[in-house]
């Protein structure tokens, strides 16, 4: 994985940064915790410019977030609620809980999108409630861009400052990503095991 990322970015430059960050947001095969620090290192070495790396990384992150947003928006709340009614145990949510969750998102959606883009493992998923709640595209793009820019700037800056030791960023951030993902999986399994039908 590490060798692939380094060789790919060395040969593809800004376009490679954009492509890998887009893929990471559609389906995270390669974590941004590796992509952006290395891009920062390449910039420190003088092969790329920091501003170009930030623009490419942020643009790729937004491009990768859009498919999930549109998929959720097209699928729609009504179909999701019907699906939840039919597969309540495996969805671990009821029709009413979806309504409450989306109502809360409509009130606090801008903050949720902004900060969600800063949290490993949540970054990819945050587009789904935004699409289901039909969050205006302009708002989604604005807050996603701000959050993504902050995240890519942190990782790029770390790689730039560490230079040849940029892989140490991943050593610290990657366990956090895996920990958050493990907690989400554990919470889902707990919900499935303890789920009970709503009383009528």
């Amino acid at each position: 994985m590490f060798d692939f990322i380094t060789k790919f970015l060395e040969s593809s430059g800004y376009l490679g940064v954009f492509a890998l960050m887009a893929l990471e947001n559609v389906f995270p095969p390669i974590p941004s915790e590796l992509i952006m620090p290395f891009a920062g290192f390449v910039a420190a070495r003088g092969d790329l410019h920091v501003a170009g790396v930030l623009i490419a990384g942020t643009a790729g992150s937004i491009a990768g977030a859009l498919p999930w947003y549109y998929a959720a928006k097209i699928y729609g709340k009504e179909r999701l609620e019907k699906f939840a009614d039919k597969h309540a145990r495996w969805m671990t949510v009821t029709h009413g809980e979806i309504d409450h969750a989306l109502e809360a998102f409509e009130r606090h959606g801008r903050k949720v999108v902004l900060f969600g883009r800063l949290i490993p493992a949540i970054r990819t998923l945050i587009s789904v409630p935004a699409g289901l709640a039909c969050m205006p595209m302009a708002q989604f793009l604005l807050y996603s861009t701000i959050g993504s820019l902050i995240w890519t700037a942190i990782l790029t800056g770390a790689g730039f400052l560490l230079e040849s030791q940029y892989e140490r960023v991943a050593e610290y951030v990657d366990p956090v990503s895996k920990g958050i993902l493990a907690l989400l999986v554990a919470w889902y399994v707990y919900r499935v095991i303890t789920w009970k039908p709503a009383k009528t």
Side-chain angles (χ1 to χ4, degrees), residues 20-92:
L20 288 180
M21 287 298 288
L23 285 173
E24 188 260 346
N25 279 267
V26 174
F27 178 74
I30 302 172
S32 57
E33 294 89 340
L34 279 178
I35 300 166
M36 296 312 301
F38 179 74
F41 165 68
V42 174
R45 202 169 55 184
D47 296 328
L48 295 174
H49 194 281
V50 172
V53 167
L54 288 177
I55 292 170
T58 302
S61 185
I62 298 304
L66 290 175
W68 286 110
Y69 171 88
Y70 279 115
K73 188 172 184 178
I74 291 169
Y75 192 77
K77 183 181 80 168
E78 291 183 5
R79 276 196 280 186
L80 179 63
E81 288 174 339
K82 288 178 181 177
F83 188 85
D85 289 339
K86 190 175 181 181
H87 305 282
R89 173 178 288 276
W90 303 110
M91 286 285 289
T92 73

Side-chain angles (χ1 to χ4, degrees), residues 154-173:
I154 291 170
L155 295 178
T156 302
F160 187 92
L161 293 174
L162 288 172
E163 294 192 14
S164 62
Q165 300 183 61
Y166 64 91
E167 68 272 12
R168 290 177 59 190
V169 179
E171 290 179 9
Y172 292 105
V173 179

Side-chain angles (χ1 to χ4, degrees), residues 73-132:
K73 188 172 184 178
I74 291 169
Y75 192 77
K77 183 181 80 168
E78 291 183 5
R79 276 196 280 186
L80 179 63
E81 288 174 339
K82 288 178 181 177
F83 188 85
D85 289 339
K86 190 175 181 181
H87 305 282
R89 173 178 288 276
W90 303 110
M91 286 285 289
T92 73
V93 293
T94 63
H95 187 119
E97 287 173 333
I98 292 173
D99 275 338
H100 289 314
L102 290 179
E103 285 173 7
F105 186 89
E106 287 170 1
R107 291 195 300 271
H108 307 290
R110 290 173 291 184
K111 294 177 184 177
V112 172
V113 170
L114 174 61
F115 291 107
R117 299 295 295 173
L118 295 169
I119 303 174
I122 301 296
R123 302 177 63 249
T124 299
L125 301 175
I126 202 63
S127 301
V128 174
L132 288 172

